[in-house]
Amino acid sequence: MLDTEGDHDGEKPKGVFSTLMADGEWLYVKGEYKKAIESFTTALTLKPGEKNCYVGRSKCYLKMGQAENALKDAESSLKEDKTFFEGLYQKAEALYYMGEFEFALVFYHRGQKLRPQIQEFRLGIQKAQEAIENSVGSPSVKLEIKGDLSFLQKDEEGAQPITAIQHLTKEKKQQTQKTPKSEKTTKQLLGEFYSDKKYLENLLKDEDLVKGKTKGGEQLQDVIQSCLTYLDTCTEFWNQEKPICARERDHKLMQQKCSKLHPSAPSEPAQFLLKSLDDIDADLTSGNAEGSLKKAKEVMRTVQGWSEKEVPNKKEVLGSLHSCIGNALIDLGDMDKALDHHQKDLELAKQCKLPEAMSRALDNIGRVYARIGQFTQAIEFWEKKIPLIRGGLEKTWLFHEIGRCHLELNRYKEARDYGVRSVAAADEIADEKWQINASVLVAQSEMKLGNFESCVASFERALTYAKLQEDDSAMNAIQKALDEAKQHLSQ
């Protein structure tokens, strides 16, 4: 019992909030993300603006595939403290899973500068760089500069608002000076983005403008400099990817594939397809699934009117569109139709013998089945993806997700085995975050199997990594689970 009513009034809000936070963290570890979100949301009504709470909820949204909501919460966690490293990491993660690899790279770098001892930022930089490299030449690659530069506060008289960075090229002045040889190389590497780079460099020379702030409160000078940094980073990685002559050859090959089209098709089909795929993706990532679906269907009708003789990569394009339609339908909750389109994507990928497209389709099919609770089918398709895995990060994630499905099916031995494989993959890339997740999966499986000593050992391992990361939320949740496991061990 409580000593006094006065103590009760003073301590209850704090106690309730702490309980809600702990419950949210524990539910997150257990994989019950919807319930965890409810707990964090309730906690925020008690302490509006609490940054750790926003991070906790953002992590849940990301696990549920709601990257846009995850990004909003991550940005909310940074509202009062721009150097909050957990918020920076979460923002970078959300951007990464939205496919905004260049933006993600910026925030991974910011976090590393603040906390160089935390490996997650280094690994984030690594995976973002790999993603940028892997998406060179892909129709889905884009480098739009938006968001933070969309609006300015007029801190200084004469500072003008910027409507959207993509319109900057329309306003830029013609460059008349000769470009040095190194600049010519940069221009070849960046292509259409070179003009954006030059315009941003000119913006930095406007002393009045750079004194302004973005809507989020960041100094415009810092944001512009960050944009230039990742443009330079992209230049470096694209230069390492392959020689310019090879990139030009690939570009010309794509142009040749789309040069002869049906008379009713657009006059510039390659540009039409690239822009259309970007628009479809932009609508989906911004939460406009209906708009994305409508555009994808319209583009598909256009492409279906083209013959394979005229467009050699027609099946490849149709596969990408089926994937886009399927992802939009997932967001709209129409899982049956989503599954149908992702299966068509898989069929086309097999016909064209495209391993990356097959991997994409298998991933999405497994995701649909997991969403509707058909875990056996999710496992079946995800296991087919295993030989197509590229990189340690994808491996540890996939093994973990397959293990989670086995856990849901009460197949505890299989869940543990995949958890062990996920741990090994995470150890290979020294990814502490996934070492935590995989160790927790192993611990949960061992607990269900009644192997309490092994369960305790795995939870302690997870706790060690959480401490290394200075992740208070994870430490609290794992400690609670560890205490429960030790109680079983002592009985």
Side-chain angles (χ1 to χ4, degrees):
M1 292 180 63
L2 297 172
D3 293 337
T4 66
E5 189 174 345
D7 289 339
H8 177 275
D9 291 340
E11 295 296 328
K12 184 176 180 181
K14 182 179 179 180
V16 172
F17 176 81
S18 299
T19 301
L20 287 168
M21 281 290 291
D23 287 345
E25 290 154 4
W26 174 231
L27 289 165
Y28 172 81
V29 171
K30 290 171 67 178
E32 297 181 20
Y33 306 122
K34 286 186 178 179
K35 291 182 179 179
I37 287 172
E38 291 173 3
S39 186
F40 287 127
T41 301
T42 304
L44 281 167
T45 63
L46 297 176
K47 284 191 177 182
E50 212 289 321
K51 58 186 182 181
N52 290 296
C53 203
Y54 275 122
V55 166
R57 194 170 68 176
S58 176
K59 288 160 66 177
C60 295
Y61 279 133
L62 207 53
K63 283 287 188 180
M64 292 177 67
Q66 299 179 24
E68 190 73 21
N69 287 332
L71 179 60
K72 288 178 182 177
D73 273 359
E75 289 177 334
S76 295
S77 75
L78 294 165
K79 190 174 181 180
E80 300 298 328
D81 181 7
K82 301 297 181 185
T83 63
F84 178 43
F85 74 94
E86 290 185 17
L88 284 171
Y89 177 75
Q90 198 57 31
K91 182 172 182 177
E93 286 285 278
L95 289 166
Y96 178 85
Y97 285 103
M98 288 170 67
E100 299 284 2
F101 306 126
E102 293 86 358
F103 279 105
L105 187 60
V106 171
F107 289 97
Y108 285 130
H109 272 297
R110 288 189 186 181
Q112 189 189 43
K113 287 180 181 178
L114 291 169
R115 290 295 185 94
Q117 74 275 21
I118 296 179
Q119 290 189 20
E120 196 63 21
F121 287 118
R122 176 180 59 78
L123 294 168
I125 292 169
Q126 178 183 328
K127 71 181 182 182
Q129 290 172 344
E130 288 176 358
I132 291 169
E133 289 181 46
N134 292 335
S135 31
V136 170
S138 167
S140 63
V141 70
K142 59 185 184 297
L143 188 59
E144 293 178 335
I145 304 172
K146 53 187 179 180
D148 286 344
L149 282 180
S150 296
F151 300 98
L152 288 174
Q153 295 175 346
K154 288 190 176 181
D155 283 3
E156 297 287 337
E157 186 177 354
Q160 299 297 320
I162 297 177
T163 55
I165 202 76
Q166 58 262 36
H167 299 310
L168 293 180
T169 55
K170 297 180 181 179
E171 302 171 6
K172 69 181 181 66
K173 296 181 179 179
Q174 294 290 332
Q175 298 294 320
T176 57
Q177 297 179 354
K178 291 186 177 181
T179 308
K181 186 175 181 180
S182 58
E183 279 294 295
K184 286 184 178 179
T185 301
T186 302
K187 188 172 183 178
Q188 287 178 298
L189 288 166
L190 287 178
E192 62 181 298
F193 306 123
Y194 178 78
S195 58
D196 290 332
K197 180 178 184 293
K198 298 306 295 181
Y199 192 87
L200 288 169
E201 288 173 345
N202 288 334
L203 280 182
L204 283 178
K205 298 174 184 178
D206 189 328
E207 295 181 1
D208 290 331
L209 187 66
V210 296
K211 292 177 182 177
K213 293 183 179 180
T214 67
K215 193 175 181 180
E218 292 184 87
Q219 288 288 335
L220 182 57
Q221 183 174 2
D222 294 339
V223 176
I224 295 173
Q225 189 60 59
S226 295
C227 293
L228 286 169
T229 298
Y230 67 67
L231 279 170
D232 289 339
T233 303
C234 291
T235 304
E236 178 185 346
F237 283 101
W238 290 342
N239 190 40
Q240 292 172 358
E241 180 69 13
K242 52 185 170 179
I244 292 172
C245 58
R247 280 190 293 276
E248 288 177 342
R249 182 195 62 212
D250 293 345
H251 183 64
K252 288 179 181 177
L253 181 61
M254 178 59 73
Q255 287 180 326
Q256 289 168 5
K257 285 182 177 182
C258 301
S259 61
K260 296 181 180 180
L261 296 175
H262 191 276
S264 63
S267 59
E268 296 182 350
Q271 288 78 6
F272 165 77
L273 286 173
L274 290 171
K275 184 179 186 305
S276 297
L277 289 169
D278 273 351
D279 290 344
I280 291 165
D281 183 56
D283 276 344
L284 188 62
T285 55
S286 66
N288 184 15
E290 291 182 357
S292 178
L293 179 61
K294 183 180 178 181
K295 287 179 182 177
K297 287 183 175 180
E298 289 173 353
V299 175
M300 179 169 282
R301 282 194 293 270
T302 300
V303 175
Q304 285 172 337
W306 303 343
S307 70
E308 289 196 22
K309 184 178 180 180
E310 293 169 318
V311 188
N313 64 333
K314 177 179 176 179
K315 288 183 178 179
E316 183 178 351
V317 174
L318 288 174
S320 296
L321 289 168
H322 278 299
S323 180
C324 292
I325 291 172
N327 288 333
L329 289 166
I330 289 175
D331 280 11
L332 292 170
D334 195 339
M335 297 300 176
D336 289 338
K337 289 183 180 178
L339 187 59
D340 181 56
H341 282 282
H342 286 308
Q343 286 173 335
K344 287 178 180 176
D345 179 26
L346 180 59
E347 290 169 12
L348 290 167
K350 287 179 178 178
Q351 290 176 26
C352 299
K353 297 181 180 179
L354 299 170
E356 289 186 15
M358 286 175 61
S359 180
R360 173 189 67 200
L362 290 168
D363 193 348
N364 286 325
I365 292 171
R367 188 159 60 97
V368 173
Y369 278 127
R371 285 278 191 97
I372 60 179
Q374 295 186 21
F375 300 112
T376 300
Q377 290 88 338
I379 291 169
E380 177 188 348
F381 282 91
W382 274 338
E383 285 186 334
K384 291 178 182 177
K385 176 182 167 72
I386 292 174
L388 303 172
I389 291 174
R390 292 183 62 184
L393 189 65
E394 187 177 15
K395 186 190 298 184
T396 188
W397 169 84
L398 186 61
F399 288 158
H400 180 272
E401 295 305 295
I402 295 174
R404 288 291 313 174
C405 287
H406 280 299
L407 195 62
E408 293 288 343
L409 292 167
N410 301 326
R411 299 173 182 170
Y412 304 127
K413 184 178 181 301
E414 290 86 351
R416 178 193 61 192
D417 292 346
Y418 268 105
V420 169
R421 294 174 74 179
S422 182
V423 168
D427 287 345
E428 286 178 7
I429 59 174
D431 190 320
E432 290 177 358
K433 185 69 84 175
W434 278 105
Q435 285 170 325
I436 294 171
N437 293 334
S439 297
V440 167
L441 174 59
V442 173
Q444 290 173 311
S445 304
E446 295 285 24
M447 178 177 283
K448 293 292 186 180
L449 289 167
N451 301 329
F452 298 117
E453 287 187 10
S454 298
C455 170
V456 168
S458 291
F459 272 133
E460 287 178 339
R461 186 177 193 267
L463 185 61
T464 298
Y465 287 122
K467 289 178 178 177
L468 288 173
Q469 283 215 313
E470 300 179 9
D471 189 333
D472 292 335
S473 299
M475 283 190 282
N476 292 335
I478 294 168
Q479 187 63 60
K480 184 176 180 180
L482 181 58
D483 292 342
E484 183 181 337
K486 286 181 176 179
Q487 287 180 359
H488 285 288
L489 186 61
S490 63
Q491 291 177 355

